[in-house]
Amino acid sequence: MKKSFTLFSFFLWSAANLYSQTNQFKTEIAPHNRSDGHTLTDVPLRPHSRKIDVFFSGEKPKQPYYKIKILDVTNGLITNYNMLLERLQEKAQLEGLDALMLLDVGRTPVYAGGAYVGHHIYNAQTMYAVGLKYPSNMQYVDTIVKRAEISIFHNGVEETLHQVGFDMNGYFSDTLMRLSNDYYLRNIGLFQKADYFTIRQPIGYTGLLLKHDKKWMATDSGEIRYKAFYEDTVGLQFVEIRLPVADRAFPRIVYQVQYKLNALNQPVERIITEGKKHLRLYRDELVYDQNKRLVQLIRYNAVSQKIMQVRYLFYSVDDLPPPEKN
């Protein structure tokens, strides 16, 4: 039995962008504040389960570190500072931090009750700390794409080369849309987002595939829908991509993406078709290195001519900003 779910709808600058070169995709453009709440130092973080170091007044780590942001936890039912500290450490793990530099523990009056039962006040306990990150725990930086080099071919001859840069948070490094960025979004990012379904299957508490699992990604305007179809016995069958319609004079564009996966469930081939008749558009080959990173994408047209090649380059720990040292 086929099952399906919609992962997300994300918004683009205009639904007419496939018909007019004057309109642009604008998703993945970096916002003014690129990392949510990283008010002190903006570096990429990953959740973990390691022990969180704690430093009290005047203490500092012996190894280099970044000050990332101020953390706090509040709970009116906890009067034990050790319990507050445990909560703060759990929060730090979830946010990918490595250590806490404690600032203060304060009391905040909290008003409870209602119009019919009366009001009462209790003191909530709040613990504050500076969240720290060690560069020594950021080896994952070398999995973050720094640049995509895109070659376009016509009759086997390379004619155009696009350079697309990304910051460590996955946004375009350019704050303004460029032709290369627009090309990337239309021809690469649009299909790359469908790869999510190759590593996630919506399994319910009963252990069976769920029929629907909706998530939403908001960008600028318009709405693109990704819908994965599953077979109980074989898993992912294909992903459907529905583009928005800005003008009723134009039909809705619908792509279908079928995958071939390797032993690690990484997509090594995409077959991309269009419309109800599933007219074949592209065949993508995806190449990985020994570190399981996608390093190359090669695209062929319907008659097996090479029309595009993308080479991915990655960040290293040397690209991180200088840390503080004791």
Side-chain angles (χ1 to χ4, degrees), residues 198-199 261-268 288-293:
T198 65
I199 59 172
L261 308 178
N262 62 17
L264 299 176
N265 254 17
Q266 294 172 309
V268 294
Y288 301 85
D289 65 7
Q290 60 184 5
N291 296 319
K292 306 174 185 177
R293 303 179 302 184

Side-chain angles (χ1 to χ4, degrees), residues 41-308:
T41 306
D42 184 11
V43 294
L45 303 177
R46 300 289 186 274
H48 64 83
S49 58
R50 297 186 301 273
K51 178 180 177 295
I52 300 295
D53 295 334
V54 178
F55 300 95
F56 295 91
S57 178
E59 297 180 337
K60 293 183 180 180
K62 294 182 180 179
Q63 62 176 299
Y65 61 92
Y66 299 111
K67 292 178 181 176
I68 304 298
K69 62 185 297 186
I70 306 296
L71 292 183
D72 65 82
V73 291
T74 300
N75 197 313
L77 301 179
I78 294 178
T79 57
N80 186 311
Y81 287 175
N82 288 324
M83 295 177 67
L84 273 175
L85 182 56
E86 288 178 4
R87 295 283 181 87
L88 199 59
Q89 288 175 306
E90 291 172 359
K91 187 173 184 178
Q93 288 176 328
L94 291 174
E95 298 204 18
L97 301 168
D98 294 319
L100 297 169
M101 189 179 293
L102 295 185
L103 296 175
D104 189 21
V105 177
R107 294 187 178 185
T108 304
V110 176
Y111 297 85
Y116 299 102
V117 298
H119 297 275
H120 64 275
I121 301 174
Y122 65 90
N123 286 323
Q125 305 288 339
T126 302
M127 180 173 285
Y128 303 90
V130 179
L132 309 179
K133 184 66 185 177
Y134 300 145
S136 60
N137 287 335
M138 297 183 68
Q139 293 84 0
Y140 54 80
V141 167
D142 65 7
T143 67
I144 301 174
V145 174
K146 182 177 184 179
R147 188 168 73 253
E149 298 178 348
I150 307 167
S151 298
I152 301 173
F153 297 84
H154 182 68
N155 292 329
V157 178
E158 181 178 345
E159 294 187 341
T160 307
L161 179 66
H162 291 294
Q163 297 270 357
V164 179
F166 302 90
D167 67 16
M168 288 190 179
N169 297 301
Y171 294 107
F172 288 142
S173 53
D174 298 295
T175 56
L176 298 176
M177 176 62 75
R178 297 189 300 115
L179 178 62
S180 294
N181 297 355
D182 187 66
Y183 181 90
Y184 179 90
L185 289 170
R186 295 170 186 269
N187 297 281
I188 302 169
L190 177 69
F191 301 107
Q192 193 172 49
K193 290 182 183 298
D195 296 350
Y196 174 89
F197 292 97
T198 65
I199 59 172
R200 167 168 166 75
Q201 294 188 9
I203 305 298
Y205 293 109
T206 61
L208 300 176
L209 288 175
L210 297 176
K211 292 183 179 180
H212 302 283
D213 185 6
K214 295 182 180 179
K215 296 184 180 179
W216 304 87
M217 177 185 289
T219 56
D220 294 89
S221 61
E223 185 174 291
I224 292 182
R225 291 185 176 271
Y226 290 77
K227 189 174 186 180
F229 290 80
Y230 291 89
E231 186 75 39
D232 283 335
T233 55
V234 299
L236 180 65
Q237 285 194 309
F238 60 88
V239 178
E240 181 182 270
I241 306 175
R242 288 180 169 266
L243 273 63
V245 176
D247 189 332
R248 293 185 180 181
F250 296 103
R252 181 184 297 277
I253 294 179
V254 180
Y255 297 116
Q256 187 182 99
V257 185
Q258 292 181 300
Y259 288 94
K260 181 184 292 183
L261 308 178
N262 62 17
L264 299 176
N265 254 17
Q266 294 172 309
V268 294
E269 182 180 79
R270 298 190 198 109
I271 301 297
I272 301 171
T273 60
E274 180 183 357
K276 293 181 179 179
K277 295 183 178 180
H278 305 303
L279 300 176
R280 184 159 173 167
L281 291 181
Y282 312 123
R283 180 175 69 86
D284 290 347
E285 291 183 359
L286 296 92
V287 181
Y288 301 85
D289 65 7
Q290 60 184 5
N291 296 319
K292 306 174 185 177
R293 303 179 302 184
L294 176 63
V295 294
Q296 188 170 247
L297 165 66
I298 305 172
R299 175 165 294 170
Y300 301 89
N301 63 14
V303 293
S304 299
Q305 292 177 323
K306 182 178 178 180
I307 59 174
M308 184 181 72

